[in-house]
Amino acid sequence: MNILLTGGSGTLGTELKKLISLIDHKLSSPSSREFNIVNFDSLLAYEIPETPDILIHCAAYTDVKASEVDFLTALDSNIIGTCNIIKYCKINNIKLIHISTDHVFEGLDGHYLPHSKINPVAKYAKSKAAAEIAASMYDNCLIIRTSFFPVKFPYEKAFTDQYSSKDYVDIIAPKVLKAALSDSKGIVHCGSPRESIYNIAKRRRPDVIPIQRKDFKFPILKDTSLKINQEFD
């Protein structure tokens, strides 16, 4: 299988490249300069020896707080960029694997199903929801909702009253790749069993300090946990 990967220098993309190198598939992972998703002509100009069978679209603007102010960057990267990727896949008859997020949900109840109604709250989430809707217009597409931390928990504090199916990227990436290489289309959820962010953090940072959502001025979603597609665990 020939695989084209966007966002290969990011947290998930880096892990996926490691995994793909261990299996018998050809991988192209161009830089954002070589394959600029915001510039459709850049995509068409990129030379690749063989047409990819799948394109795993990891590239995105993911800074939640910054997106509240700099929402135009989120719009360019997450919406316009994704639309360009969809057009590129359609023209070249490539299956699109679009990486989305649990933030497309409002985070009230958790255990969201793939067909649960989305209701994004923050501007970052709205940009990812819009990208999802655009990707869903392309029949040869799989949308993977997921969420992950780097290999090490990156913060000194963690919320005891925030819940997620998030996990560390080295645990999430194999699940994402398994889904990407499957015949599935539509929407799937990849993640781990629902836990508090504090408990997730303690697994790799035992000295993490517990805090609550009320201690933080920026709105924090209570529960974005996903009903996981078990076949990709």
Side-chain angles (χ1 to χ4, degrees):
M1 182 177 287
N2 295 318
I3 302 171
L4 179 58
L5 173 70
T6 70
S9 62
T11 303
L12 179 60
T14 299
E15 202 67 28
L16 289 175
K17 286 195 295 186
K18 293 178 188 176
L19 295 172
I20 294 169
S21 70
L22 302 175
I23 55 181
D24 190 23
H25 294 295
K26 295 179 181 178
L27 173 66
S28 295
S29 181
S31 68
S32 58
R33 179 176 297 179
E34 297 172 301
F35 198 72
N36 182 359
I37 64 172
V38 179
N39 183 342
F40 187 62
D41 289 338
S42 171
L43 307 189
L44 295 178
Y46 179 67
E47 295 183 6
I48 187 169
E50 297 180 55
T51 301
D53 298 294
I54 64 172
L55 187 155
I56 306 177
H57 182 39
C58 293
Y61 184 68
T62 59
D63 192 324
V64 177
K65 290 181 67 176
S67 295
E68 290 299 308
V69 178
D70 185 18
F71 73 91
L72 291 180
T73 299
L75 185 149
D76 282 342
S77 296
N78 298 346
I79 302 177
I80 294 174
T82 297
C83 288
N84 285 336
I85 289 292
I86 296 164
K87 289 191 288 184
Y88 179 83
C89 288
K90 175 63 176 175
I91 290 170
N92 293 287
N93 193 28
I94 302 168
K95 182 178 181 181
L96 171 60
I97 312 298
H98 176 66
I99 306 301
S100 190
T101 174
D102 54 359
H103 278 234
V104 297
F105 298 110
E106 71 271 33
L108 297 178
D109 303 315
H111 291 294
Y112 293 103
L113 298 165
H115 61 266
S116 293
K117 182 179 179 181
I118 64 174
N119 185 24
V121 177
K123 291 179 181 178
Y124 158 73
K126 291 175 182 179
S127 73
K128 292 296 288 183
E132 256 198 28
I133 292 170
S136 70
M137 296 173 66
Y138 182 46
D139 292 336
N140 194 17
C141 176
L142 174 67
I143 295 167
I144 301 176
R145 293 191 187 122
T146 190
S147 191
F148 46 85
F149 290 115
V151 173
K152 296 182 179 179
F153 190 76
Y155 308 112
E156 294 181 353
K157 302 176 182 180
F159 296 104
T160 59
D161 58 348
Q162 182 188 25
Y163 299 88
S164 176
S165 49
K166 198 170 186 175
D167 214 325
Y168 295 95
V169 68
D170 53 310
I171 295 173
I172 293 295
K175 302 178 183 187
V176 168
L177 185 59
K178 187 175 181 180
L181 298 179
S182 73
D183 294 328
S184 298
K185 295 180 183 179
I187 302 174
V188 298
H189 289 171
C190 289
S192 294
R194 177 183 181 272
E195 276 192 283
S196 71
I197 297 298
Y198 177 69
N199 284 344
I200 297 169
K202 280 205 306 181
R203 293 207 300 270
R204 296 194 178 178
R205 189 163 185 166
D207 62 342
V208 68
I209 300 168
I211 57 173
Q212 293 186 323
R213 289 182 297 121
K214 64 179 178 61
D215 299 328
F216 203 70
K217 294 181 180 179
F218 190 78
I220 303 296
L221 301 181
K222 177 184 176 183
D223 190 344
T224 58
S225 60
L226 305 173
K227 183 69 174 177
I228 302 303
N229 291 75
Q230 298 295 331
E231 64 267 33
F232 303 125
D233 276 354

